[in-house]
């Protein structure tokens, strides 16, 4: 059994005038995450967890935010590219578990739609994509709705040849 684990974290600022893209879907909200790409903090944290598990550096190493090719990019493409990097090194995804820390909006109603987007990108069943959401109880910048944070862990395994 050749399994490895990885951990990922991402945070983005919330601003007016941007759509809220999270988990590969657009969620109605007065503010959206700010970033060079679509700023999908959930997919970015998942990318880093997967890359970490495979010891393949991090998302900024492969998809630098100084590269105009990635300006405004759909982060589903970054996740697909990450999974390809894992496959190239002989790994497949086992499961992931994520926690989004956001004061608003309520994210639990959107979890099934996120799972439906993420599972095919990871080439796993939706049952292997766990997404949890919690508030920051009004504390600090996250509690003040100035941004969101996401933590993710991933298990990968060496594919049989
Ligand atoms: Mg990011």
């Amino acid at each position: 059994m050749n399994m490895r684990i990885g951990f990922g974290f991402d945070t983005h600022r919330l601003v007016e005038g941007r759509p809220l893209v999270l988990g590969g879907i657009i969620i109605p909200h007065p503010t959206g995450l700010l970033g060079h790409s679509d700023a999908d903090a959930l997919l970015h944290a998942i990318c880093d967890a997967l890359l970490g598990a495979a010891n393949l550096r991090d998302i900024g190493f492969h998809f630098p935010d100084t590269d105009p090719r990635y300006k405004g990019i759909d982060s589903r493409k970054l996740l697909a590219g990450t999974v390809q990097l894992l496959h190239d090194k002989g790994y497949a995804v086992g499961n992931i578990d994520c926690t989004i820390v956001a004061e608003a909006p309520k994210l639990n109603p959107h979890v099934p739609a996120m799972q439906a987007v993420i599972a095919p990108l990871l080439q796993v069943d939706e049952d292997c994509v766990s997404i949890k959401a919690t508030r920051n109880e009004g504390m600090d910048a996250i509690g003040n709705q100035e941004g969101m944070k996401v933590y993710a862990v991933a298990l990968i395994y060496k594919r049989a040849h």
Side-chain angles (χ1 to χ4, degrees), residues 56-158:
L56 282 169
R57 305 288 299 265
D58 59 38
I59 189 171
F61 179 83
H62 295 284
F63 313 106
D65 65 7
T66 50
D67 189 331
R69 279 184 300 168
Y70 303 122
K71 180 160 176 52
I73 196 170
D74 181 336
S75 293
R76 291 176 295 184
K77 292 181 181 163
L78 303 183
L79 184 55
T82 296
V83 171
Q84 185 60 53
L85 287 167
L86 261 68
H87 287 179
D88 292 346
K89 202 172 174 179
Y91 291 109
V93 180
N95 71 296
I96 62 165
D97 181 26
C98 316
T99 297
I100 305 162
V101 188
E103 206 66 16
K106 288 214 176 304
L107 295 172
N108 268 314
H110 301 286
V111 165
M114 294 180 189
Q115 289 170 315
V117 168
I118 294 167
L121 291 170
L122 300 182
Q123 301 174 30
V124 300
D125 291 338
E126 288 179 25
D127 187 44
C128 298
V129 178
S130 161
I131 301 168
K132 313 185 299 295
T134 187
R135 294 174 56 244
N136 212 43
E137 304 296 335
M139 293 182 286
D140 71 34
I142 302 299
N144 203 29
Q145 301 189 38
E146 293 172 34
M148 293 185 179
K149 289 181 177 177
V150 183
Y151 304 90
V153 292
L155 184 144
I156 65 172
Y157 61 93
K158 205 84 175 181

Side-chain angles (χ1 to χ4, degrees), residues 9-12 34-45 48 59 65 75 78:
F9 168 78
D10 196 28
T11 185
H12 281 266
L34 179 65
H36 184 72
S37 65
D38 63 10
D40 190 326
L42 175 55
L43 297 195
H44 294 178
D48 262 2
I59 189 171
D65 65 7
S75 293
L78 303 183

